[in-house]
Amino acid sequence: MPAVSKGDGMRGLAVFISDIRNCKSKEAEIKRINKELANIRSKFKGDKALDGYSKKKYVCKLLFIFLLGHDIDFGHMEAVNLLSSNRYTEKQIGYLFISVLVNSNSELIRLINNGIKNDLASRNPTFMNLALHCIANVGSREMAEAFTADIPKILVAGDTMDSVKQSAALCLLRLNRTSPDLVPMGEWTSRVVHLLNDQHLGVVTAATSLITTLAQKNPEEFKTSVSLAVSRLSRIVTSASTDLQDYTYYFVPAPWLSVKLLRLLQCYPPPEEGAVRGRLTECLETILNKAQEPPKSKKVQHSNAKNAVLFEAISLIIHHDSEPNLLVRACNQLGQFLQHRETNLRYLALESMCTLASSEFSHEAVKTHIETVINALKTERDVSVRQRAVDLLYAMCDRSNAQQIVAEMLNYLETADYSIREEIYAVDYTWYVDTILNLIRIAGDYVSEEVWYRVIQIVINRDDVQGYSAKTVFEALQAPACHENLVKVGGYILGEFGNLIAGDPRSSPLIQFNLLHSKFHLCSVPTRALLLSTYIKFVNLFPEIKATIQDVLRSDSQLRNADVELQQRAVEYLRLSCIASTDILSTPSTSTDLLGLGLAPVLNSVAPASAGGSLLVDVFSDNSPAVASLAHTAEENFSSPRIGSADVVSDDPAAAVHDADELVNKFVCKNNGVLFENQLMQIGLKSEFRQNLGEYNSRTKQVDPAVDGGAQVQQILNIECVSDFMEAPILNIQFRYGGALQNMSVKLPVTLNKFFQPTEMTSQDFFQRWKQLSIEQQHSLTVSCKSFCFIIDSPQQEVQKIFKAKHPMDTEVTKAKIIGFGVALLDMVDPNPSNFTGAGVIHTKNIQVGCLLRLEPNTQAQVRGVFIFQFYSRVLEICVCVCHIYIYIY
Amino acid sequence: MIGGLFIYNHKGEVLISRVYRDDIGRNAVDAFRVNVIHARQQVRSPVTNIARTSFFHVKRSNIWLAAVTKQNVNAAMVFEFLYKMCDVMTAYFGKISEENIKNNFVLIYELLDEILDFGYPQNSETGALKTFITQQGIKSQTKEEQSQITSQVTGQIGWRREGIKYRRNELFLDVLESVNLLMSPQGQVLSAHVSGRVVMKSYLSGMPECKFGMNDKIVIDKQGKGTADETSKSDLGGSGKQSIAIDDCTFHQCVRLSKFDSERSISFIPPDGEYELMRYRTTKDIILPFRVIPLVREVGRTKLEVKVVIKSNFKPSLLAQKIEVRIPTPLNTSGVQVICMKGKAKYKASENAIVWKIKRMAGMKESQISAEIELLPTNDKKKWARPPISMNFEVPFAPSGLKVRYLKVFEPKLNYSDHDVIKWVRYIGRSGIYETRC
C-alpha cells in the first residue's frame, strides 16, 4: 500500500461538501455550485500548472457536483492527467472520475487506454488493480478491444499477486458479458482451470465465476474443471468451520464459493470417473447431512447461507438425476421446508420439488407430500407461493392421484374464481390456458361453463397467447375422444384465431375444419350451434375452404335439422356465405359483428354468474375497456360499456352531459341514426336488441378533415337490462383535438322500451288479460306530476295518462310509432277501429313483464286531439317508465 | 372552499396546520411536501393538483403557505386570501420567517380562526382585526366596547371603526408601479406592461368620504369635451400625455363599485392606517425609463467581448436610483475583466452573471460597461443560450403616465373641510422583469 500523504484530507473538498449540506434551499445550493464551478474553471484555465494535489481536489469536487445531478463538461483532461501520477490517491480519483464520467465515444479514450496500459504493465499490484477495476467499470467495447488480449496473460502469469488475479478474473468476466465475441480462447483457458486449486479462496471464487460463464459457452474447453471443482468442494464441505478463517460466513464455510462450484458442476453431466463421482456424492450427502444438524447460530444469515448451499446442491442433484438415494433425500429435505415458517423457503421448496417431480426416481417421494402441498394451496397467504403449489400439484399429477388432485384443483379454482387477484393470471397466461385446457381434458365433466368462458375471455384479450392457445387447442383436439367443453373452447378459439396457426401445413385450414367437424356429431345442440358459428368464421378467415363449408351447411342434416336453432343458423350462415362477397365478409365490421354476437352471451353469462361482475375486473383489469366497464356499471341498472378507441378514450364522468334529449328521444322508436354531431365529430349509432341484451354499434366519425379526416372508429357496446330504469346511460368521450383535451358526454338512447319483445295476441286474449288485470282495481290514487298525471290503480298495475298530442293525429304515423315503440301492434283487436292496441313483453335480467297498451285518440276534444294512453303491466315501475318514454314521442 | 391551510418551513416541516373541512386528511400535508417542496424538479406552478386535491401555494422567503381544497374553488380568490394572510401576519409580527411563525403560533391560529370560517374567507382587514385580536393577553373589555366591536365587525363598514380622532388630518398617497419589458437586441419592444398599485395611508378623523381622481382616459374623454384647454394645461409630467388607458383594475373593498361602474368615479370611506386602494395594469404608451443596448462579440472559442450601453429616458431633472444591470455570462466562463465608467461592476460566479450597480443616474444620460470574458473549452457542443440582460431600477415617476388629479375628503359631521387635510402624493416606478435580449 502506498504511503498516506498529508494531502489526503482535501480540506477544500470537505469545506465545499459541508457548505452544500448546509444550504437551506435549492437555489442556495445551485449558487454555491456555480461559484465552485467558476472557481475550478479559472483554476483549470491553464495559465499556471496545478500540482497533483489541487488537481485531485478539483476533480474530486467535479465528481461530487456530477453526483449531485449537475452536468459536468470539463475536467476530463485533468482527470486523465491524474492517471499518470505516481500517487495512489491521485490515480484513484482519476480512475474514479473516468469510470463515472467518461462515455465510451469520448475522444479522450485513446489517452485513457494508454494510461491503463501503462498501469497494467507497471507490475505495481495496486495500480494494476485500479486499472482492472476501471476497465470492468467502464466495460465498453473499445475497452474490450484494447485489453482482452492482455488480461488473460495477467490472469495466468505465475508472478501475479492474488488480488490482481482476482480482479483480472472478474474484469475478464465482465468483458465477456458485454462483448463475448471479443474474448479470445486459447492456451490460457487450461491454466485458468488450475486456478481452482489456488491457495487463495478469493482467487478461486473469482475464477469459478469466470469459468462457469465461459463453460456455458464452450463446455469442452473447461471439462477438466469438473474434477478440480469436486475436489475443491469436498475440501470446503469437509473442513471445519474455523479452517477457512476469512471465508467462513456465520459458521458456514465459504458459502459463495460452494454455491458457485455447484453451479459450475451443473454445466456438466455427472462425472464418469468413479472416484470423482464418489467424492461428489459424498459431498452432496455431507451437505444434506449438514442441513439436518441443529443450527450453529440463531442469526438469519447463518440459515440463509446454509440453505443457499443446500438448494444449490439439490439443484445439482436434480440436474444429475442419477442417484435415486440422493434424490429421495433431497425430496425429504424439501418436504421439511414445506412447513417452514419462512415464506421464501416454502416458495423455493415448492419450486425445487416441481423439478424433482419430473424425475422418475423421486416422483413417488414427491407424491408423499401431496397433503402438505394441498394444504399450502388452501392456507397459503402469498399468491406466488400458491401459484408454485398449483404448479407442483400439476407436476405431480399422474394416474394414481389424478382424481384427488383434480378435485382439489377444481375446488381451488372455484375459490380462486372469487378470491384470486389478477396477478396470478397476469404472471403467466400461457400457464393458465395450459392448466385449464388440461383440466378440461382431464376432468371435463367437472368444469363448469364459467371456466371455459374465462379461458376464451383471456385468450381474446391477450394478444400474446392467442397463437399459442390456438396451437394448444388444436393439439388437444387431436385426441380421439375429447370432452365437449374442449370442443367448445376449440371451436371458439380456432374460429377466432385459427388463422394464426394456419401457416403450419400440419394445421392448415382444411385440417382444422375437418378436425372440428369430426367432433360435430358427437356434440349436443348448443355446441353444434357454436360450431356452426365457427364455420362461418372460417369462411371469413379462409376463403379457400368456403366450398367445403357451404357443402356441410347445405347438407340435409343441417338444413333440415329438427332443432330450430341449428336449422336457422345453418340457413342463415349458408345464405350469408353465398350472398356476401369476400370483401364484405372480410370487412372488419362483419368479423366484429360475428365476434360480438358470439361474445355477447359469453359476457352476459359470465357477469351474472360472478356476483355483480366484480370478478371480471379483478381478473381482467388490464383488458379492453369494454370488459372492464361492464363490471363497473354492473351495480347499476344495466351494464353498458363505454367507447374506447384509438383517439377516443373514455372516462371522466364529471364532464357535463350534452343535453341532447331531443336527439335521444328521436331514438325511442328508431334503432339507427346519428346520435351526436358537432364540428369535430359525429357519432352514429346502430343498435340491435334481443330480449334483455342489446348491442350498440356506434360509429364515430371525425368530421374535421385535418385530424384523420373522416376516419371512422367503430365500437360495439353490449348492454344488458337488469331491471327497469328511467335514466339513459351516459357515454363519455374524451379525445385530444388540436392539443386540447375535449370531453363530451352523450346520452345513449337506451330506453326501457328497447327491451320490448312484441307479442301477437287475438282480440279475445287481449281483452281477457286486460280485464284480468283491471278486475283487481279496487281503489285508485292519483299522483300528479308537474305537467301530467298518472292514475295509478291499486294493486299498482295500470297507468292511465291523458295527454295532448303535439302533432296532428295521423293513423299511419301513430301505428308506425307504436311498432317502433317495440310492442306488437294488434290490429282489429279493439272494437273501436280508431283505437290502437299493442302488447309486448319487457325482458330484463330479473323478470319478464308482459305489458298491454291501449291508445285512444280523442279527436273531438282538441284541434290536435287527445290520446288516452292506457297501459297495463304487473309492475308499477315499468308502467311509469314506459309511460314516461311514450310521452316523449309525442 | 378552502379545506385547510398549512405553513411549512424550507425543509418541509409543518409549522402551522389548520384543517377546516373533513375531506382534507393528514396525508395531504405529506403529499404537498413530497410533490412540491421536495420535488425533484422545481415546481413552478403555484397550483398543484395531487390526487384530486388542489394545493395553492405562495412562498415568502423560506416559508411556504399552502391552501388545500378538494373542491373546484376560485383560484384567484384563494391567492388573494393567501396574500392577505401574508399582509395580516406581517402587520402583526413583521417579517414572515420560521422564527417569527414559531414565536407567534398561538396568534396565527387565532387569526386563522377569525379570517377563515369553514373555509370561507372572512374579514381580513388588519385594522379591524387588531381591535379584537391583540397580542397583549385578554384585557377585560367593557360591554360597550364589546358591542362596538361586534357592531363594527358585523356592520356595513367593517374596515373602519367609529370615533377616530386626529389633531392633524393627514393623508399619504403612493403610486407604486412596476414596469415589465422584453426587448429585442435591435431595440424592438416585444412585450411591455405596467402593473401598478395605489397605496394610501390615511389619518383622518370621523367617517370621511373620499373621492379619488386620476387621468383615466374614459373620465378625461368624458369631461374633455368642455374643458380641453384645462386638461392640456394640467399636464405637468414628462410624458406629455394627457390620459392613460387602464386595462383592468381592482379596488379595495371600501370603494363603492356601483359608483365606479356608473360614473367611473372612485369614492370610498377609507380604512384607518395603511391600505392598498387599487391595483391596475396598463399596456399602452408606457414610458420606458431605460434603454439597454447590448453588443456581444465572440472572439474565437475562448473569448467573448460584451459591451452594454444604458440610456436613461426621462426628464433630466429626475434621478433614477438603485440601478442594477445583470449581464449573464456563459456557463464555461473561466475569467472576467470588466471596465465601467460609472458605478461598480463585479462578476458573480454563483449567479453566472456580471452585476453592474449604479447608485444614481439623471435623466437623458448614457453609461457604458465593457467586459472581456475568457472561456474554458469544453467537450460540450451545446451553444450558449444567451439569456437576456435584465435590469433593476427605481424612478420617481409613474411609467404608465398615471397622474393623481385630486383626492377630495368630505366629513360632514366633524366640520373639517377638504382644505384642512394635509395630502402627500408620491410616485415610484420600479422595474419588474425588465429584460433585453442580447
Side-chain angles (χ1 to χ4, degrees), chain A residues 614-761:
Chain A
S614 60
L615 162 80
L616 278 172
V617 189
D618 287 341
V619 179
F620 305 116
S621 63
D622 52 340
N623 296 339
S624 72
V627 181
S629 56
L630 173 89
H632 181 76
T633 46
E635 298 97 39
E636 291 166 34
N637 281 346
F638 35 78
S639 5
S640 72
R642 289 166 280 169
I643 281 193
S645 67
D647 55 347
V648 181
V649 184
S650 65
D651 216 331
D652 198 354
V657 177
H658 281 262
D659 205 3
D661 276 350
E662 284 293 310
L663 274 171
V664 172
N665 293 336
K666 214 172 69 186
F667 283 89
V668 170
C669 297
K670 267 169 65 181
N671 279 338
N672 305 333
V674 174
L675 177 60
F676 175 82
E677 190 165 19
N678 67 4
Q679 318 91 290
L680 298 182
M681 65 187 301
Q682 184 188 35
I683 303 173
L685 194 77
K686 238 166 93 180
S687 52
E688 277 178 47
F689 290 88
R690 282 198 333 228
Q691 300 189 342
N692 65 331
L693 306 174
E695 182 189 292
Y696 267 91
N697 199 343
S698 47
R699 287 203 169 73
T700 314
K701 189 172 173 190
Q702 297 284 341
V703 176
D704 191 328
V707 191
D708 245 354
Q712 275 197 10
V713 183
Q714 195 178 28
Q715 185 71 30
I716 296 176
L717 307 181
N718 289 303
I719 291 178
E720 187 188 9
C721 176
V722 180
S723 70
D724 55 85
F725 60 95
M726 295 279 269
E727 284 298 325
I730 289 166
L731 175 76
N732 293 315
I733 300 173
Q734 207 178 53
F735 60 97
R736 218 169 258 290
Y737 174 74
L741 201 63
Q742 309 262 352
N743 255 331
M744 55 174 77
S745 300
V746 184
K747 267 190 182 173
L748 275 182
V750 184
T751 46
L752 188 58
N753 68 308
K754 294 285 181 192
F755 302 96
F756 255 128
Q757 198 162 44
T759 321
E760 291 288 337
M761 52 175 78

Side-chain angles (χ1 to χ4, degrees), chain A residues 256-389:
Chain A
W256 282 277
L257 180 55
S258 319
V259 165
K260 279 181 177 167
L261 287 169
L262 288 165
R263 283 245 172 95
L264 172 62
L265 290 172
Q266 281 175 55
C267 299
Y268 293 97
E272 278 140 31
E273 267 176 82
V276 179
R277 194 176 174 143
R279 213 162 167 200
L280 178 59
T281 315
E282 206 175 291
C283 280
L284 294 172
E285 262 169 1
T286 322
I287 293 172
L288 287 173
N289 285 340
K290 273 193 181 165
Q292 295 296 339
E293 286 169 15
K296 290 198 179 101
S297 158
K298 282 214 165 66
K299 288 253 167 65
V300 69
Q301 288 95 330
H302 171 69
S303 61
N304 275 350
K306 209 163 97 171
N307 290 332
V309 178
L310 178 65
F311 272 109
E312 211 51 59
I314 289 174
S315 9
L316 180 64
I317 293 169
I318 296 167
H319 172 75
H320 284 173
D321 197 12
S322 57
E323 301 279 342
N325 181 28
L326 280 177
L327 281 165
V328 171
R329 278 195 65 185
C331 183
N332 292 339
Q333 185 59 49
L334 290 177
Q336 283 177 15
F337 284 145
L338 282 183
Q339 279 150 321
H340 203 275
R341 262 183 314 120
E342 193 66 22
T343 315
N344 290 338
L345 269 185
R346 287 200 300 269
Y347 181 93
L348 287 170
L350 284 170
E351 203 182 22
S352 305
M353 269 222 185
C354 215
T355 33
L356 266 180
S358 53
S359 158
E360 51 174 324
F361 299 111
S362 57
H363 191 82
E364 287 305 314
V366 172
K367 268 159 63 182
T368 55
H369 300 291
I370 186 161
E371 290 301 333
T372 327
V373 177
I374 287 170
N375 209 22
L377 191 62
K378 282 176 185 158
T379 56
E380 186 61 58
R381 277 168 51 213
D382 191 316
V383 271
S384 55
V385 179
R386 281 209 300 271
Q387 205 178 329
R388 287 298 132 223

Side-chain angles (χ1 to χ4, degrees), chain B residues 71-83:
Chain B
Q71 286 163 319
N72 186 12
V73 296
N74 181 346
M77 190 273 287
V78 176
F79 282 112
E80 188 62 40
F81 172 77
L82 287 175
Y83 291 140

Side-chain angles (χ1 to χ4, degrees), chain B residues 303-319:
Chain B
K303 209 168 167 191
L304 199 70
E305 279 179 8
V306 181
K307 203 171 111 182
V308 177
V309 181
I310 59 167
K311 281 184 184 170
S312 55
N313 181 30
F314 44 87
K315 280 199 294 187
S317 58
L318 299 174
L319 271 181

Side-chain angles (χ1 to χ4, degrees), chain B residues 29-49:
Chain B
V29 187
D30 301 325
F32 182 76
R33 177 181 42 238
V34 172
N35 290 295
V36 181
I37 301 180
H38 290 166
R40 200 158 292 179
Q41 254 80 43
Q42 198 184 354
V43 176
R44 294 203 158 179
S45 159
V47 184
T48 322
N49 213 311

Side-chain angles (χ1 to χ4, degrees), chain A residues 24 26 31 34 41-42 45, chain B residues 10 39 331 333-334 350:
Chain A
K24 287 218 164 153
K26 213 163 232 174
K31 273 190 172 174
N34 278 337
R41 278 196 301 261
S42 69
K45 205 162 48 178
Chain B
H10 72 278
L331 294 176
T333 305
S334 61
S350 59

Side-chain angles (χ1 to χ4, degrees), chain B residues 200-385:
Chain B
M200 278 179 84
K201 228 185 263 179
S202 63
Y203 303 105
L204 300 171
S205 312
M207 293 294 257
E209 172 84 37
C210 299
K211 206 170 166 199
F212 174 63
M214 56 180 183
N215 57 341
D216 181 2
K217 197 169 199 250
I218 298 171
V219 180
I220 299 285
D221 286 358
K222 223 194 280 174
Q223 299 172 344
K225 283 165 198 159
T227 56
D229 302 340
E230 197 198 331
T231 45
S232 62
K233 254 183 259 168
S234 70
D235 174 33
L236 301 166
S239 62
K241 142 175 93 132
Q242 301 161 3
S243 58
I244 60 161
I246 287 176
D247 283 19
D248 47 45
C249 54
T250 54
F251 293 103
H252 188 269
Q253 57 168 332
C254 65
V255 175
R256 292 194 186 86
L257 291 177
S258 56
K259 235 174 178 172
F260 180 76
D261 288 340
S262 58
E263 303 164 25
R264 223 172 154 86
S265 77
I266 302 165
S267 73
F268 54 97
I269 296 172
D272 199 38
E274 189 175 342
Y275 60 96
E276 186 185 282
L277 180 66
M278 72 179 284
R279 261 183 249 169
Y280 58 91
R281 202 168 61 92
T282 68
T283 48
K284 287 203 190 69
D285 302 323
I286 294 165
I287 312 154
L288 297 171
F290 285 96
R291 169 86 210 278
V292 178
I293 304 156
L295 197 78
V296 179
R297 204 157 65 91
E298 280 173 55
V299 189
R301 269 189 75 194
T302 58
K303 209 168 167 191
L304 199 70
E305 279 179 8
V306 181
K307 203 171 111 182
V308 177
V309 181
I310 59 167
K311 281 184 184 170
S312 55
N313 181 30
F314 44 87
K315 280 199 294 187
S317 58
L318 299 174
L319 271 181
Q321 287 185 315
K322 298 177 190 166
I323 301 150
E324 187 186 289
V325 184
R326 182 177 292 266
I327 305 159
T329 55
L331 294 176
N332 55 346
T333 305
S334 61
V336 177
Q337 269 93 49
V338 205
I339 307 160
C340 61
M341 297 292 128
K342 215 173 167 202
K344 282 179 189 161
K346 207 179 160 190
Y347 166 59
K348 283 204 171 163
S350 59
E351 288 150 49
N352 279 322
I354 299 168
V355 180
W356 177 26
K357 283 182 179 165
I358 304 170
K359 279 213 181 100
R360 243 170 252 109
M361 189 169 175
M364 300 318 239
K365 288 263 168 56
E366 172 172 326
S367 193
Q368 155 179 334
I369 185 174
S370 56
E372 260 182 34
I373 300 170
E374 281 174 74
L375 305 174
L376 192 78
T378 62
N379 309 4
D380 223 0
K381 301 290 181 294
K382 267 186 289 178
K383 239 190 141 219
W384 180 43

Side-chain angles (χ1 to χ4, degrees), chain B residues 46-80:
Chain B
V47 184
T48 322
N49 213 311
I50 307 159
R52 290 175 173 269
T53 311
S54 306
F55 294 83
F56 306 80
H57 76 261
V58 295
K59 210 180 162 198
R60 286 284 177 274
S61 65
N62 275 333
I63 297 297
W64 302 72
L65 270 90
V68 192
T69 182
K70 284 233 169 181
Q71 286 163 319
N72 186 12
V73 296
N74 181 346
M77 190 273 287
V78 176
F79 282 112
E80 188 62 40

